[in-house]
Amino acid sequence: TSKFYASLAAVGKPRVILDTDLGSSMDDLFTVDLAARMHKQGKLDLMAVMMDRPDGCDPDKKGEFLTFADRYLASLGLGDLPIGKSASLPEDQTVFNPYWTLIYSNNVTGVGLLLPTNRTPDKIATLPDAVALYRRLLNNAPDKSVVICSTGFLSNLKALVESGMDYE
């Protein structure tokens, strides 16, 4: 592990990719908030957020997790951060706290809590696949310079490992 930390120190601030099921449980909400704060303070380079919970992956099949992620990241000052979407459904679709519904909530003056961003519904629908975005980001980064932090399901990481290696 000391070689790993030495390689991170050699490249400067850590490059981080978050893999999360943001929109249904508090651990993900706080992790993204913490990473956004550290990114804005220059303590890390937040490269992307990979969503490990696709839209409609909830008991009612109504969850707009990608829209929530987009608006939440924008509210944290990271509206242009790449978002990768999961194509697979996790085995456990339990939604403990459906805070993705905040996209429909207003404050006391009638203004939306999470305002729309530049990503229209059409752009949300065409967000890149998480594995494709992982591969692009990792292929363009120096070896051993990216930390992946997963607070969600592991289906994106499983699909990444199963996607094989790139050969030149």
Side-chain angles (χ1 to χ4, degrees), residues 33-93:
D33 182 69
L34 179 62
R37 289 171 191 260
M38 292 178 71
H39 176 80
K40 291 193 301 190
Q41 293 171 0
K43 295 180 180 177
L44 61 81
D45 176 13
L46 186 56
M47 299 173 68
V49 169
M50 304 300 181
M51 288 295 291
D52 214 351
R53 183 184 286 275
D55 279 353
C57 180
D58 59 299
D60 298 326
K61 306 292 186 218
K62 296 179 181 177
E64 294 184 52
F65 301 101
L66 294 169
T67 299
F68 176 79
D70 176 50
R71 292 184 185 183
Y72 184 61
L73 288 167
S75 75
L76 297 172
L78 301 175
D80 294 329
L81 191 71
I83 300 171
K85 66 179 178 181
S86 175
S88 63
L89 295 173
E91 292 177 23
D92 178 6
Q93 299 179 24

Side-chain angles (χ1 to χ4, degrees), residues 75-138:
S75 75
L76 297 172
L78 301 175
D80 294 329
L81 191 71
I83 300 171
K85 66 179 178 181
S86 175
S88 63
L89 295 173
E91 292 177 23
D92 178 6
Q93 299 179 24
T94 304
V95 176
F96 298 103
N97 302 302
Y99 57 80
W100 64 267
T101 58
L102 289 174
I103 61 176
Y104 300 116
S105 300
N106 296 325
N107 66 19
V108 293
T109 63
V111 176
L113 291 176
L114 295 173
L115 299 176
T117 67
N118 292 332
R119 288 188 180 127
T120 61
D122 292 343
K123 288 182 182 176
I124 295 281
T126 61
L127 286 170
D129 172 73
V131 172
L133 184 55
Y134 262 127
R135 293 179 73 83
R136 181 173 56 82
L137 293 172
L138 293 172

